[in-house]
Amino acid sequence: MFGCVPFIFQNGRPSVEVVIVSDAKAGGELIAEAMAELLRHKPDALLGVATGSTPLPIYQALAAKVDSGAVDASRARVAQLDEYVGLPAEHPESYRSVLRREVLEPLGLDVDAFIGPDGTAEDVRAACEAYDKALAEAGGVDLQLLGIGTDGHIGFNEPCSSLASRTRIKTLTEQTRVDNARFFEGDIEQVPHHVITQGIGTILEARHLVLLATGEGKADAVAATVEGPIAAVCPASALQLHPHATVVVDEAAASKLKLADYFRHTYANKPDWQGI
Ligand code: PGA
């Protein structure tokens, strides 16, 4: 029905690969295995990590692989995607703290393995430039995990961010502050207005982009990302510009995809050796 498999895999990969999984746990396992496989080939890989609720099953699955000896992550390096401006690094909801709790400690890594922007710098612009430089000096991100906002943001690149943007300060939309208030005792007043985020151009420099989206609340954003035009109004649609971008979604987040059956067919017929 869809033509021969070699045609689907012309140039080695489809542009944005969509993998529909049964639930968040299966998505976490799939992505953690891709990270483990990367670490088996490149033990000091630079892993770009994201915050939010969605990636937690990935971190849990990867930590389980480390605990069972299925992969050695002791030389892995970790890079931050974004950070609140003005929250002290030791604040429990600064992304530096969150990533220490959710990624570094479970993987047995210490803070030397970690790079991130300084959200408390007096000169925010210089801090942003310094972070882009640090990423480049670290050899670039090998695999960048991404969540997606209900408004289509990646990192904290809110709608109408330049698709060529570099790490910089951004103002959060009201929607994102409402979405994130749950991390601040439900009190939107405590959610900072400003953030430092890797730009879309910065994110696109990672060698492999892996976006995980789960739940019906993400279905519109996922459909716009994958099947809509490349447009700054949906920042995640920039993934269409990347030669190796993978979007992993559960059934609920896939529910508005017109090509869902095609994506299922493509993945079901994919050679095992190719991975995601
Ligand atoms: P969430 O956040 O995983 O908590 O939904 C995603 C994001 O805002 O990028």
Side-chain angles (χ1 to χ4, degrees):
M1 174 182 180
F2 297 104
C4 62
V5 167
F7 174 75
I8 295 170
F9 290 100
Q10 63 181 344
N11 301 324
R13 294 187 183 277
S15 56
V16 175
E17 176 176 41
V18 180
V19 182
I20 302 174
V21 293
S22 51
D23 55 25
K25 190 162 184 276
E29 176 58 36
L30 180 74
I31 296 170
E33 183 49 33
M35 295 169 83
E37 195 54 22
L38 169 64
L39 289 168
R40 289 179 198 117
H41 288 101
K42 186 174 182 184
D44 66 345
L46 183 58
L47 306 174
V49 291
T51 49
S53 309
T54 311
L56 297 179
I58 306 173
Y59 304 142
Q60 284 154 9
L62 186 58
K65 287 178 194 297
V66 169
D67 290 347
S68 71
V71 65
D72 176 6
S74 60
R75 292 176 56 203
R77 298 170 298 144
V78 175
Q80 192 172 351
L81 184 59
D82 44 21
E83 182 59 277
Y84 290 116
V85 168
L87 282 193
E90 59 282 3
H91 188 289
E93 292 307 325
S94 79
Y95 283 172
R96 190 170 290 246
S97 296
V98 170
L99 291 170
R100 193 182 321 118
R101 274 196 312 272
E102 291 171 354
V103 181
L104 295 178
E105 287 171 6
L107 295 184
L109 297 171
D110 72 31
V111 286
D112 293 346
F114 181 79
I115 54 172
D118 180 359
T120 59
E122 264 180 41
D123 187 342
V124 176
R125 187 190 301 229
C128 294
E129 280 170 16
Y131 189 46
D132 269 343
K133 196 158 167 252
L135 288 170
E137 283 172 1
V141 173
D142 288 295
L143 186 154
Q144 177 65 57
L145 297 177
L146 298 166
I148 185 169
T150 52
D151 61 4
H153 71 218
I154 47 173
F156 272 134
N157 293 283
E158 297 286 28
C160 299
S161 290
S162 158
L163 300 184
S165 50
R166 311 300 307 174
T167 299
R168 70 212 181 290
I169 188 168
K170 285 293 288 181
T171 305
L172 294 179
T173 62
E174 195 65 3
Q175 179 64 55
T176 299
R177 293 183 64 241
V178 168
D179 289 345
N180 285 7
R182 68 190 193 280
F183 298 114
F184 294 84
E185 301 160 328
D187 178 9
I188 190 171
E189 294 308 318
Q190 291 185 44
V191 184
H193 286 268
H194 294 105
V195 291
I196 292 177
T197 182
Q198 283 190 34
I200 297 175
T202 315
I203 291 170
L204 289 175
E205 286 171 1
R207 294 178 186 90
H208 183 191
L209 301 180
V210 182
L211 185 151
L212 177 63
T214 52
E216 207 182 338
K218 301 292 174 70
D220 284 319
V222 166
T225 296
V226 175
E227 295 177 347
I230 299 172
V233 73
C234 177
S237 66
L239 265 66
Q240 296 178 37
L241 295 166
H242 196 282
H244 190 185
T246 310
V247 173
V248 179
V249 284
D250 67 358
E251 294 286 347
S255 60
K256 303 230 168 125
L257 289 171
K258 294 192 185 72
L259 294 172
D261 286 344
Y262 169 69
F263 296 136
R264 284 194 187 89
H265 173 86
T266 305
Y267 188 65
N269 287 287
K270 186 174 183 177
D272 284 344
W273 54 263
Q274 203 176 28
I276 58 169

